[in-house]
Amino acid sequence: MSKLYLIDGNAYIHRAYHALPPLTTSKGEMVNAVYGFIRMVLKVVNSKKPEYLVVCFDYPAKTFRHKEYPLYKAHRKVIDDELKSQMPLAREAIKALNIVLLEKEGYEGDDIIATLAQNAKNDGAEVIIITGDKDALQLVDEKINVWNEQKDVLYTEEKVKEKYGVEPSQLVEMFALMGDSSDNVPGVKGIGEKTATKLIQEYGSLNGVYENLDSVKGKTKELLANSKEDALKSRSLVTLDRKVQVGLDWHDAKLKEINAEKATEFFKRLEFHTLVKEFSHPAPASFDSAALNPVPADPVLKEQDKVISNTIFSQKDLDLLVKKMRKEGLVSLDLETDDVNPFKAKIVGLSFACDSSQGYYIPVGHDYLGSQEQMELKQVLNTLKDILEDKNIKKYGQNIKYDLIVLKNNGISLYGIYFDTMVASYCLNPSRTNHGLKDIVLDYLGIQMTRIEELIGEGKNQTTMDKVEVQKAAEYACADAVMVFRLAQAFKEMLTDKKLDKLFNDVEMPLVEILASMEENGIKIDDSHFKKLSKEFSVIAGELEKEIYKIAGQEFNPNSPKQLSFILFEKLKLPTVRKTKTGFSTDEEVLKILSSQHELPKKLIEYREIQKLKSTYIDSLIELSEKETNRVHTSFNQTITSTGRLSSSNPNLQNIPVKSDYGKMIRRGFICEPDNILLSADYSQIDLRVLAHITQDQALMSAFKNNEDVHSTTAREVFGKADPDLRRIAKTINFGIVYGQSAFSLAQQLGIPNHQAKEYIDNYFIRYKGVKEWMECIVKEAQKNGYVSTLLGRIRYIPEINAKNGQIRAGAERIALNTPIQGTSADIIKVAMVEIEKKIGRDRDKEKTKMLLQVHDELLFELTKGRLKHDAQIIKKIMETAVKLDVPVTVDLKAGPNWMDMEKI
């Protein structure tokens, strides 16, 4: 039976525009939406291989609905100029790909889709409409389905009824009652989806509702009676026209072969270099999955994307796999375990791939009723040990740090770590919110993978991988290993194209093993100290509560935003600062602003700090520490922050206050083993030194070259003198400039009027003209390119930099200012970590100096007292020369028995 696919072109390009970071040609033409649009269409073509395909667009003018109701879509947000300019290009792209495109003056794309679907259905064909627009669901019947490709939901008659509670044909009746605010369809004011559904379920249609209006009860009857005309008009507006004279017989929409020359010409014009390479392939005669892979694919992949899954139960087959891996010299690996914590996880199975089509799964720990006999883990690891520990056999992985730690806990030292697809995705676009395998495979390869929740469930019903059937686990695990292999091949070229390959290969990939080693090392805590602190902090919190009640004049729950809002803004009549969806904000920023006007906000800030420190650090550290060793193994996150900085979790050790008394009490609890000592190596004012280098501001560079106190220098330049108070203000200004701080923000931080803060900043720029010039230049570059970069070439996309909303644009401009500085500082300490590991790394001896933590600009080590003098100087030299700047880089060294009580060395 013939099958026609219909793509909602407008929905696709809107989605692409909002999903992808800015991408411009060398001439400054914005093309991100076109690129994403092409990829999405190719994904449909490659995954579904449609016999017939049409892409339908709205005609760029008013439709018959506007004539019927002039206010139709009157409140619709004006389309961004950057997207509007790409609409014609999207149409050109479809023509370049030799796909049928259809639009008609006076009609929307949905009407074209409805007409083609009806015509094809009348001829006995099946129809798949690809859109996320709910209006298309009214077309669903036994021959027509709607596929929400983004959510991977296929709406059949049953699925529509399950979601909305009515038949597809009744949706227009329901939508007429509900209205649609996005299209300014009025509906019946006061009636929402729940009531509309109930009415249509009971009376069958809009006519049925009004014919039986007397039987409708309460307020609903009144609402219906007052809005009958609007309801009938709304039904007309939401009903799709299935009889448009489209001028196309759907049989003429047969998908043709691509004209590679025409497509390549279009891609070259828009500078889509990856697509140019794909379509310049020796045999790009038609769409196939190989076109998505920048390296020649295995023959089987030219026919289908499905992964061939092999399950290994015998030593004989395992030996053959080992032989294959050794022959190929590279392998993609993935472990299936029963816990996300690598220090607790038990191996359930191991998967491998040596090419882009076949995966191999070795089950070792599946435990359920009727499970097959599996090889023992020890036997499997003994067989794989030589391969896994061979530095000459390249290893691919996704978050391979996890696998490294799990294998280490099982007696295997994983060497030859070559490519981590999660880290590569992060390098390519650090602004992505998710670098998970399933998401990046979907985005880069256009393949929808099975998610882990489909195997182990979610929430309270979630099980673990060892309870999953071996065959299901094998298919899942083999797909992971193969997709990592495919991604690695694609990402290599992308990294090279964006000149990110050196950053990836020389910094980020070596860091994977270093972070794993740091996590394994952990840091020792004084258990008794923290248990004592927990009690002390509880007492302090209790005392602060009493003071808060006394100041407020009544008891209340200080953790309740609603109750606190009442106390601050209604009882004490303090000025409101910012409104939220649920009322007036009482967050920390608001409390800081109000602190200058009343004592209560100041006490609340202290109370919140105590509570946060107790729960986040003190109690958490006690719970997370190993009972035998009292060591805490934090997890270092390499792909979270947009600037390139590392973060940590479980527990987060990045935000322990450095200078507050409470923070000092906590840091005193981080200790070392007997006969050892802790060494802190902390970059001095690294952000400001980077600022001096990047801006080449002569005054700033001179201050550092002459070893001046830069904050005192700034105080003298801005205020004419440098007493302690003015130095403090100058320090705030210096670092505020680095973070793109506004006059308003500086005023709030210093507790001074806005005009005075502006004067301080203006005076700063009079002295440091190079900084001002650079700031203006970098914002313009970001507006032109859509991104900024660090000295080492790390890219951060800033899609909001050209936003029409001034507040959003200002925030993006601050990001453009601070990312090159913070990002370069992050790169510098990462380079230093790599070089330190080379010099005093894990292979040297058992008495080696261990790197424990990286917190902001500081590295913390544990070493024997006898090595302190020697290794401290090595570390200092490496850190100070890691990246050559035009100003001196200095590192402060301190050592002591705990993280607090340290002396300079």
Side-chain angles (χ1 to χ4, degrees):
M1 182 182 294
S2 297
K3 186 179 289 188
L4 169 66
Y5 281 78
L6 300 169
I7 293 178
D8 182 342
N10 284 75
Y12 256 31
I13 194 164
H14 273 84
R15 183 174 140 208
Y17 175 72
H18 292 291
L20 294 181
L23 176 66
T24 59
T25 65
S26 58
K27 297 178 182 178
E29 184 179 19
M30 187 70 74
V31 291
N32 64 328
V34 190
Y35 182 80
F37 175 79
I38 292 170
R39 281 297 187 194
M40 291 160 70
V41 172
L42 288 178
K43 174 189 166 187
V44 171
V45 171
N46 283 284
S47 61
K48 299 302 178 182
K49 297 181 172 50
E51 184 181 1
Y52 299 91
L53 174 65
V54 181
V55 179
C56 304
F57 281 95
D58 294 345
Y59 192 85
K62 291 187 176 181
T63 68
F64 71 90
R65 292 182 178 86
H66 291 91
K67 294 178 182 178
E68 184 179 334
Y69 183 57
L71 294 177
Y72 180 64
K73 294 191 175 181
H75 299 156
R76 182 69 67 90
K77 180 184 174 185
V78 177
I79 187 172
D80 292 350
D81 290 339
E82 293 85 355
L83 173 56
K84 186 184 293 185
S85 67
Q86 297 184 70
M87 290 292 197
L89 295 174
R91 290 170 167 82
E92 279 191 61
I94 293 302
K95 293 174 183 176
L97 292 172
N98 216 9
I99 298 172
V100 174
L101 178 152
L102 204 57
E103 58 186 341
K104 186 173 177 65
E105 186 172 3
Y107 295 92
E108 296 180 63
D110 286 349
D111 298 311
I112 311 298
I113 287 173
T115 299
L116 289 173
Q118 186 67 43
N119 293 346
K121 171 195 166 184
N122 292 343
D123 289 343
E126 291 184 8
V127 180
I128 302 292
I129 300 169
I130 305 175
T131 182
D133 190 343
K134 69 180 187 303
D135 289 341
L137 297 177
Q138 64 187 266
L139 304 172
V140 171
D141 58 23
E142 74 282 359
K143 291 283 188 179
I144 303 172
N145 292 157
V146 172
W147 180 34
N148 185 323
E149 175 263 336
Q150 186 177 10
K151 297 180 179 179
D152 195 26
V153 177
L154 183 69
Y155 284 100
T156 60
E157 290 179 286
E158 294 76 17
K159 194 72 175 178
V160 171
K161 191 168 184 180
E162 177 188 323
K163 180 174 176 61
Y164 289 99
V166 298
E167 298 292 339
S169 60
Q170 295 176 306
L171 284 176
V172 290
E173 317 290 335
M174 190 178 90
F175 294 160
L177 290 168
M178 291 166 50
D180 187 341
S181 58
S182 65
D183 287 344
N184 201 34
V185 175
V188 176
K189 189 175 181 181
I191 289 185
E193 182 175 339
K194 186 176 180 181
T195 303
T197 303
K198 187 177 179 181
L199 288 168
I200 299 304
Q201 286 175 339
E202 188 168 352
Y203 300 110
S205 66
L206 191 61
N207 291 343
V209 170
Y210 281 103
E211 287 169 3
N212 296 278
L213 191 58
D214 290 340
S215 66
V216 179
K217 297 178 182 178
K219 182 72 172 176
T220 302
K221 178 180 179 180
E222 182 183 342
L223 294 172
L224 289 166
N226 292 336
S227 300
K228 182 176 181 179
E229 185 178 342
D230 281 344
L232 295 173
K233 187 179 293 295
S234 297
R235 180 171 63 182
S236 177
L237 292 172
V238 300
T239 301
L240 299 182
D241 190 339
R242 307 188 193 202
K243 297 182 179 180
V244 181
Q245 297 301 310
V246 294
L248 175 79
D249 188 315
W250 71 272
H251 290 96
D252 296 330
K254 195 174 184 68
L255 187 60
K256 304 178 183 69
E257 289 186 353
I258 301 173
N259 183 326
E261 185 178 347
K262 186 177 179 181
T264 302
E265 182 182 347
F266 177 75
F267 299 147
K268 283 180 179 178
R269 195 181 100 208
L270 297 189
E271 299 174 12
F272 295 155
H273 303 301
T274 305
L275 285 168
V276 169
K277 289 179 183 177
E278 293 171 10
F279 282 80
S280 298
H281 195 276
S286 62
F287 289 109
D288 59 39
S289 58
L292 291 176
N293 198 327
V295 297
D298 292 337
V300 67
L301 292 179
K302 292 181 180 179
E303 300 176 4
Q304 57 184 18
D305 281 327
K306 188 176 180 181
V307 172
I308 300 172
S309 173
N310 304 278
T311 310
I312 293 177
F313 291 103
S314 70
Q315 183 65 47
K316 179 182 177 182
D317 288 341
L318 181 58
D319 289 339
L320 289 173
L321 174 59
V322 168
K323 187 177 180 180
K324 179 179 177 65
M325 289 192 283
R326 190 167 294 284
K327 178 184 176 183
E328 298 296 335
L330 57 86
V331 61
S332 167
L333 65 95
D334 182 55
L335 300 182
E336 298 304 331
T337 65
D338 62 357
D339 201 302
V340 295
N341 185 331
F343 296 99
K344 296 180 180 178
K346 294 179 181 177
I347 298 176
V348 176
L350 306 90
S351 60
F352 300 93
C354 297
D355 55 44
S356 56
S357 63
Q358 295 204 57
Y360 301 84
Y361 184 64
I362 311 162
V364 294
H366 289 269
D367 183 17
Y368 56 88
L369 187 64
S371 59
Q372 300 106 306
E373 184 177 345
Q374 301 149 61
M375 298 177 70
E376 291 187 4
L377 175 62
K378 185 177 180 181
Q379 177 187 352
V380 170
L381 292 181
N382 283 341
T383 305
L384 294 171
K385 186 177 177 67
D386 287 346
I387 289 288
L388 296 176
E389 295 189 343
D390 190 334
K391 295 180 180 180
N392 296 316
I393 295 179
K394 297 176 180 178
K395 314 301 190 309
Y396 295 169
Q398 164 79 8
N399 188 19
I400 202 168
K401 172 164 68 75
Y402 176 90
D403 305 276
L404 190 160
I405 295 172
V406 173
L407 288 170
K408 185 69 178 291
N409 294 338
N410 284 273
I412 300 289
S413 296
L414 186 64
Y415 289 111
I417 294 175
Y418 177 69
F419 203 98
D420 189 317
T421 48
M422 183 174 77
V423 175
S425 173
Y426 175 70
C427 286
L428 289 167
N429 185 5
S431 297
R432 277 186 68 107
T433 55
N434 191 323
H435 299 279
L437 180 62
K438 310 303 184 287
D439 294 290
I440 57 179
V441 165
L442 181 60
D443 289 347
Y444 287 98
L445 301 182
I447 297 172
Q448 183 83 45
M449 296 181 69
T450 300
R451 295 188 176 271
I452 188 66
E453 294 79 13
E454 296 178 45
L455 270 67
I456 64 174
E458 297 181 78
K460 64 180 181 180
N461 296 320
Q462 189 176 83
T463 183
T464 47
M465 202 66 179
D466 56 315
K467 303 302 178 186
V468 175
E469 292 179 23
V470 167
Q471 192 52 44
K472 288 183 178 179
E475 291 173 0
Y476 175 86
C478 288
D480 278 2
V482 168
M483 291 305 164
V484 164
F485 192 97
R486 293 187 197 177
L487 274 177
Q489 306 304 321
F491 280 169
K492 283 178 195 175
E493 281 204 21
M494 294 180 195
L495 290 166
T496 302
D497 287 346
K498 291 179 179 287
K499 296 181 172 56
L500 291 166
D501 48 331
K502 185 173 178 61
L503 175 73
F504 176 78
N505 292 317
D506 296 351
V507 181
E508 294 293 350
M509 280 310 301
L511 203 62
V512 171
E513 296 182 63
I514 294 169
L515 295 179
S517 178
M518 290 166 66
E519 290 181 22
E520 292 169 29
N521 292 335
I523 184 167
K524 190 178 181 69
I525 65 165
D526 185 336
D527 187 62
S528 60
H529 174 80
F530 280 111
K531 286 178 179 177
K532 182 181 176 184
L533 270 191
S534 182
K535 293 177 182 177
E536 289 180 10
F537 274 44
S538 292
V539 172
I540 294 171
E543 293 298 323
L544 284 171
E545 271 193 25
K546 291 176 183 177
E547 292 181 49
I548 288 169
Y549 298 154
K550 184 178 179 181
I551 297 169
Q554 70 176 77
E555 290 192 9
F556 68 100
N557 181 2
N559 298 312
S560 165
K562 187 176 181 180
Q563 293 184 36
L564 179 55
S565 180
F566 170 79
I567 295 294
L568 293 175
F569 307 124
E570 295 186 41
K571 183 174 182 179
L572 298 179
K573 306 297 183 183
L574 292 175
T576 57
V577 177
R578 187 171 61 252
K579 193 170 185 179
T580 66
K581 292 180 180 179
T582 57
F584 293 107
S585 174
T586 58
D587 64 16
E588 187 174 349
E589 184 180 346
V590 169
L591 293 180
K592 283 181 179 178
I593 293 171
L594 296 176
S595 292
S596 61
Q597 303 178 46
H598 200 279
E599 185 183 3
L600 182 60
K602 193 178 297 183
K603 285 293 177 187
L604 285 164
I605 290 173
E606 188 178 357
Y607 173 75
R608 286 183 179 179
E609 182 187 8
I610 279 289
Q611 283 200 315
K612 181 179 178 180
L613 291 176
K614 183 178 183 300
S615 61
T616 305
Y617 296 111
I618 299 171
D619 295 342
S620 178
L621 286 164
I622 295 170
E623 182 182 347
L624 292 171
S625 63
E626 275 190 272
K627 302 312 171 191
E628 292 182 5
T629 64
N630 282 337
R631 297 189 81 90
V632 173
H633 303 273
T634 188
S635 178
F636 290 100
N637 308 310
Q638 197 174 350
T639 61
I640 298 293
T641 70
S642 298
T643 59
R645 287 192 179 274
L646 298 171
S647 66
S648 67
S649 55
N650 296 322
N652 175 5
L653 298 179
Q654 301 282 337
N655 296 325
I656 301 175
V658 179
K659 296 182 179 178
S660 76
D661 290 338
Y662 297 140
K664 291 175 182 177
M665 294 164 73
I666 291 174
R667 284 180 172 241
R668 192 165 279 121
F670 290 90
I671 60 175
C672 53
E673 299 292 348
D675 300 323
N676 282 2
I677 194 166
L678 292 181
L679 169 67
S680 167
D682 194 0
Y683 278 109
S684 172
Q685 301 171 338
I686 187 64
D687 283 352
L688 293 177
R689 294 172 193 272
V690 169
L691 180 68
H693 173 87
I694 287 179
T695 64
Q696 289 291 295
D697 182 275
Q698 294 304 305
L700 200 54
M701 292 176 71
S702 176
F704 284 118
K705 287 180 177 179
N706 295 327
N707 199 27
E708 298 173 12
D709 175 3
V710 72
H711 302 314
S712 295
T713 300
T714 298
R716 283 190 293 271
E717 296 294 345
V718 175
F719 309 114
K721 58 180 180 178
D723 62 38
D725 287 338
L726 292 177
R727 183 189 181 278
R728 176 182 61 82
I729 295 174
K731 182 178 180 180
T732 303
I733 296 172
N734 276 330
F735 285 111
I737 293 298
V738 171
Y739 300 121
Q741 190 174 45
S742 65
F744 174 78
S745 179
L746 180 63
Q748 297 298 334
Q749 190 170 352
L750 295 176
I752 59 177
N754 286 350
H755 70 86
Q756 192 174 356
K758 184 179 184 304
E759 184 181 334
Y760 287 170
I761 292 176
D762 289 343
N763 288 340
Y764 176 95
F765 286 134
I766 290 173
R767 176 55 181 165
Y768 299 115
K769 293 179 181 178
V771 175
K772 178 67 171 176
E773 290 171 0
W774 173 80
M775 291 174 70
E776 292 171 349
C777 182
I778 196 68
V779 168
K780 288 179 182 177
E781 284 186 20
Q783 289 170 340
K784 177 185 176 183
N785 300 326
Y787 66 87
V788 291
S789 57
T790 68
L791 284 182
L792 270 67
R794 187 185 303 279
I795 290 173
R796 181 177 182 180
Y797 294 101
I798 314 175
E800 308 87 358
I801 194 70
N802 292 307
K804 291 184 178 179
N805 182 296
Q807 189 173 0
I808 294 174
R809 188 172 62 253
E813 289 175 0
R814 286 194 292 273
I815 292 173
L817 294 172
N818 72 51
T819 296
I821 309 301
Q822 284 196 64
T824 297
S825 297
D827 289 344
I828 289 172
I829 200 167
K830 284 181 174 179
V831 171
M833 292 169 73
V834 171
E835 294 304 314
I836 289 169
E837 184 70 8
K838 288 179 184 176
K839 191 71 176 178
I840 54 175
R842 63 179 182 178
D843 292 328
R844 197 172 63 178
D845 57 54
K846 294 181 179 179
E847 298 295 318
K848 74 182 180 71
T849 294
K850 295 180 179 178
M851 197 184 304
L852 305 183
L853 298 178
Q854 189 275 315
V855 178
H856 303 304
D857 302 323
E858 177 187 14
L859 291 176
L860 190 68
F861 302 85
E862 182 175 355
L863 63 165
T864 60
K865 294 176 182 177
R867 305 191 76 104
L868 178 62
K869 186 175 180 181
H870 177 266
D871 283 8
Q873 292 308 311
I874 291 176
I875 289 167
K876 179 179 173 68
K877 183 177 180 180
I878 289 174
M879 291 177 70
E880 291 180 343
T881 58
V883 174
K884 175 68 175 172
L885 299 183
D886 292 338
V887 295
V889 175
T890 61
V891 170
D892 296 328
L893 297 176
K894 294 187 294 184
N898 60 65
W899 199 6
M900 180 60 228
D901 300 316
M902 302 181 117
E903 296 181 358
K904 288 187 177 181
I905 58 172

